Amino acid sequence: MVRRLLVAALAAAVTIVTVLTSAAANTRVQSWQHVPVPAQVRPQAGLNEAVAFGPGRAWAVGSDAVGREAPGFPLMLRWDGSAWQRQSLLGVRWQGELLSIAATSPSAIWAVGRDSTGGAHLLRFDGTAWSESRPPRGVGLDKVVTGGDETWLIGARDRGQALLRWDGRRWQDMPVPPGAVYGLHVKAADDVWAAGAADSSAAVSHWDGRAWQQWKVDGVPRSSVSSVLAVSPTEVWAGGTGGFIGGPPGRPIPPLLVRFDGQTWNRVSVPADFGAINSLTPDTAGSVAWVSVARSLKWAPPGTSPPLVPGPDFLAWNGRSFTEHDEPAVTGEGDSTLLRLAPVPGADTVWSVGRATGPENTFAPRILRFG
């Protein structure tokens, strides 16, 4: 009997240790991790955006630089489930960078870029290979956005803004809301949200298939929003930067996060005093999950030096409050200056791509992953 009790006690102890070890491991996993870029990517490269389709499939685009001032070359990376690999772009011989990437399916991916002369480029992946597609005539392209089986482009034409929608055969010009558009959330052809600025103030607009309705969401001059995420008609989020008047040269600009309840827009407090909200990304249910804050800073306690200390790089929203997360330190590099989020469908995993401060005031590509 005593032996049986000892064996049972030992088994219980082993079980407890295993559970505690597993819990500790899970705690460690639930943080942002640095993921290396391919070795053949030059140090002075940068990434602009990513899109993911599952744990083993994602793409990222940017520029592979050849020097501090010289034009770079379009950079395309692909995640194969274990590592990022550089992708060959046959027939793409121009210098410049890829600015944005989006997809309606793994076999219908679009990327937009700009060459060193300012010319627009549009690439398409059909599930097998990338190829150049004819861009809309006379339009400079900045961003491609997909959602609800829709594909839209943000660009400029004749010094004015341009929005275009793919109808399956050609790019169709769409009405543009007043001011500037920096980001879109496309839910359907008649349900599109635009983030930007109008009359030197942050503005969000909604397209219902017939006309745009616009709201000024922040009254501070020079404020703007670049990301928008519509959870429902009564819950819409937008993030960017809040403007300021006066102040010493080089004074940082505060982040701006606002939320719509179906009637009014209200400012949401974030645990950072300065910085720029780069991205908003949803969870698997479509609700807000993450907010990224590039160049995040906080006021230090009174009387301390320096007066500013690093703030959180990522904010996780649980429906009531934010949890602060920091990006991991990378040897030989500084913090990220751009944090573009890309959720993995059907999972809690999120990618962040961008660029970080490199040695001697250079820059370096940066890829991070949560989950």
Side-chain angles (χ1 to χ4, degrees):
M1 176 65 70
V2 172
R3 180 177 297 176
R4 290 180 179 176
L5 290 174
L6 288 173
V7 170
L10 287 172
V14 169
T15 300
I16 292 172
V17 170
T18 301
V19 169
L20 291 176
T21 302
S22 176
N26 287 337
T27 300
R28 288 194 298 271
V29 168
Q30 294 305 306
S31 62
W32 286 89
Q33 307 292 323
H34 175 245
V35 182
V37 299
Q40 65 268 35
V41 175
R42 297 179 180 89
Q44 293 191 118
L47 296 169
N48 292 320
E49 205 166 58
V51 64
F53 304 102
R57 209 179 317 182
W59 296 87
V61 296
S63 174
D64 194 1
V66 295
R68 296 189 184 185
E69 303 297 335
F73 292 88
L75 176 62
M76 179 80 68
L77 303 180
R78 184 173 187 175
W79 174 253
D80 63 8
S82 60
W84 286 93
Q85 306 289 340
R86 183 165 189 164
Q87 296 297 293
S88 175
L89 295 172
L90 298 177
V92 177
R93 298 181 176 86
W94 44 272
Q95 284 188 274
E97 67 177 321
L98 292 172
L99 303 169
S100 178
I101 186 170
T104 53
S105 75
S107 59
I109 310 175
W110 296 88
V112 301
R114 183 183 302 125
D115 62 34
S116 57
T117 66
H121 292 267
L122 183 63
L123 280 64
R124 188 173 187 180
F125 184 73
D126 61 5
T128 302
W130 286 93
S131 61
E132 291 252 18
S133 181
R134 186 184 299 277
R137 185 182 298 276
V139 179
L141 299 178
D142 298 309
K143 192 173 182 66
V144 57
V145 182
T146 57
D149 293 325
E150 291 279 308
T151 302
W152 288 53
L153 296 174
I154 303 176
R157 178 192 288 119
D158 298 329
R159 299 183 181 180
Q161 190 96 52
L163 292 178
L164 301 104
R165 172 183 175 267
W166 180 249
D167 67 4
R169 295 178 301 172
R170 62 183 181 86
W171 291 102
Q172 173 189 8
D173 274 289
M174 301 297 293
V176 182
V181 174
Y182 302 131
L184 294 174
H185 183 191
V186 182
K187 297 176 71 68
D190 58 355
D191 189 4
V192 181
W193 293 84
D199 298 328
S200 191
S201 175
V204 176
S205 306
H206 179 252
W207 172 254
D208 63 4
R210 299 180 302 276
W212 288 98
Q213 180 182 5
Q214 187 174 79
W215 297 265
K216 305 291 177 56
V217 299
D218 187 70
V220 179
R222 289 187 282 174
S223 63
S224 67
V225 285
S226 58
S227 297
V228 59
L229 176 60
V231 178
S232 71
T234 58
E235 185 182 356
V236 184
W237 297 68
T241 57
F244 63 92
I245 301 175
R251 177 180 174 180
I253 299 175
L256 174 63
L257 182 64
V258 292
R259 183 178 182 179
F260 184 60
D261 61 9
Q263 298 293 327
T264 60
W265 289 88
N266 298 292
R267 191 157 186 162
V268 179
S269 177
V270 297
D273 296 305
F274 303 102
I277 293 180
N278 278 175
S279 288
L280 308 170
T281 198
D283 59 18
T284 54
S287 298
V288 173
W290 289 96
V291 176
S292 66
V293 189
R295 302 180 186 271
S296 177
L297 294 170
K298 289 182 176 181
W299 286 115
T304 61
S305 182
L308 295 174
V309 296
D313 303 293
F314 302 99
L315 304 173
W317 178 253
N318 64 8
R320 299 176 303 278
S321 61
F322 288 112
T323 301
E324 302 178 29
H325 291 255
D326 296 327
E327 66 173 314
V330 179
T331 303
E333 298 178 8
D335 293 336
S336 293
T337 57
L338 180 68
L339 299 163
R340 296 289 189 194
L341 300 172
V344 176
D348 293 328
T349 303
V350 182
W351 291 100
S352 172
V353 303
R355 60 189 69 199
T357 303
E360 299 181 358
N361 295 321
T362 59
F363 52 90
R366 176 67 56 85
I367 301 179
L368 307 171
R369 181 178 62 186
F370 182 89

